[in-house]
């Protein structure tokens, strides 16, 4: 059993609409109960729902985040995008940056660095995703890829106190496969070793579900979980939190 303060981030990806708000009553009740122990819940719905989530979560401690942002802190002619000031303005406290689904579409480490800087300037906390692909893992490049993503992604950012890292091996996302416990322990240790002074919190993401959480929770250097598919089902999300603390 853990008593650690853990973060549980729900990444809803491009799912959800106004009727999804009804599913949150259960999680709001849970967040106010003693069962939550030392956990902090954070929901990252699509941008279209952030404002409604903010209203819904008004009287509870559940955090809200965006799933991506434009790199510019200024308003401008960028059709189809929102920046971090806009996310903050509608009630977000966090933003996910560097998710592999966006890296796959061409986001590189330099762009991610600009996005992180603009998020910090807008006073959002950043959930900075890093992780290797299957072919990089097979070539034993995991640590060098993570080092590069961290080095460039956090270039010229002195104060890292509002940054969480989310280690998400690309091959584990949505696949039902998770890393071996010992590999994960060592990789999280490696990520933390890249920092001096205050070490950022490191979350794990990739196919977390109510079945594998019993193993994942034993990896004691993990500070929380970034949960995609399973978080869209309130019962599963709550179950993951409960099992972490049982
Ligand atoms: C994610 O997309 O960040 C993620 C972890 O997804 P899943 O839990 O579905 O693997």
């Amino acid at each position: 059993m853990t008593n650690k303060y853990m973060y549980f981030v729900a990444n809803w990806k491009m799912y959800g609409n106004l009727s999804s708000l009804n599913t949150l009553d259960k999680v709001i009740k849970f967040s106010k109960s003693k069962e939550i122990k030392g956990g902090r819940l954070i929901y990252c719905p699509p941008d279209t729902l952030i404002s409604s989530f903010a209203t819904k979560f008004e009287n509870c401690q559940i955090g809200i985040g965006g799933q991506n942002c434009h790199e510019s802190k200024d308003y401008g002619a960028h059709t189809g995008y929102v920046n971090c000031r806009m996310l903050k303005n509608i009630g977000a406290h966090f933003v996910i940056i560097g998710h592999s689904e966006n890296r796959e579409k061409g986001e590189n480490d330099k762009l991610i660095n600009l996005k992180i800087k603009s998020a910090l300037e807008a006073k959002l906390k950043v959930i900075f995703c890093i992780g290797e692909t299957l072919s990089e893992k097979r070539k034993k490049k995991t640590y060098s890829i993570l080092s590069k993503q961290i080095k460039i992604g956090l270039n010229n950012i002195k104060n890292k106190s509002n940054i969480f890292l989310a280690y998400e091996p690309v091959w584990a996302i949505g696949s039902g496969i998770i890393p071996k416990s010992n590999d994960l322990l060592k990789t999280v240790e490696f990520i933390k070793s890249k920092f001096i002074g205050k070490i950022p919190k490191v979350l794990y993401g990739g196919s977390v579900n109510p079945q594998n959480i019993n193993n994942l929770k034993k990896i004691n250097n993990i500070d929380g979980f970034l949960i995609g598919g399973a978080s869209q089902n309130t019962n599963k999300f709550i179950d993951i939190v409960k099992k972490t603390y049982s």
Side-chain angles (χ1 to χ4, degrees), residues 11 13 99 101 129 168 172-175 205-208 226-230:
N11 174 15
K13 311 193 186 210
H99 194 283
E101 285 156 12
C129 299
E168 297 209 301
I173 296 178
S175 65
S207 294
V208 177
L226 177 50
I227 306 157

Side-chain angles (χ1 to χ4, degrees), residues 187-224:
T187 307
V188 172
E189 200 173 283
F190 174 78
I191 293 168
K192 291 192 173 184
S193 77
K194 295 271 128 195
F195 297 88
I196 40 172
K198 198 168 180 287
I199 313 291
K201 304 281 180 208
V202 178
L203 317 180
Y204 166 75
S207 294
V208 177
N209 64 39
Q211 286 75 46
N212 59 29
I213 193 66
N214 287 324
N215 286 331
L216 288 167
K217 74 177 185 189
K218 292 183 194 142
I219 304 169
N220 58 21
N221 56 4
I222 291 178
D223 302 297

Side-chain angles (χ1 to χ4, degrees), residues 88-103:
K88 176 94 182 167
N89 183 253
I90 55 166
H93 322 107
F94 293 82
V95 60
I96 296 172
I97 295 178
H99 194 283
S100 64
E101 285 156 12
N102 297 320
R103 290 180 187 264

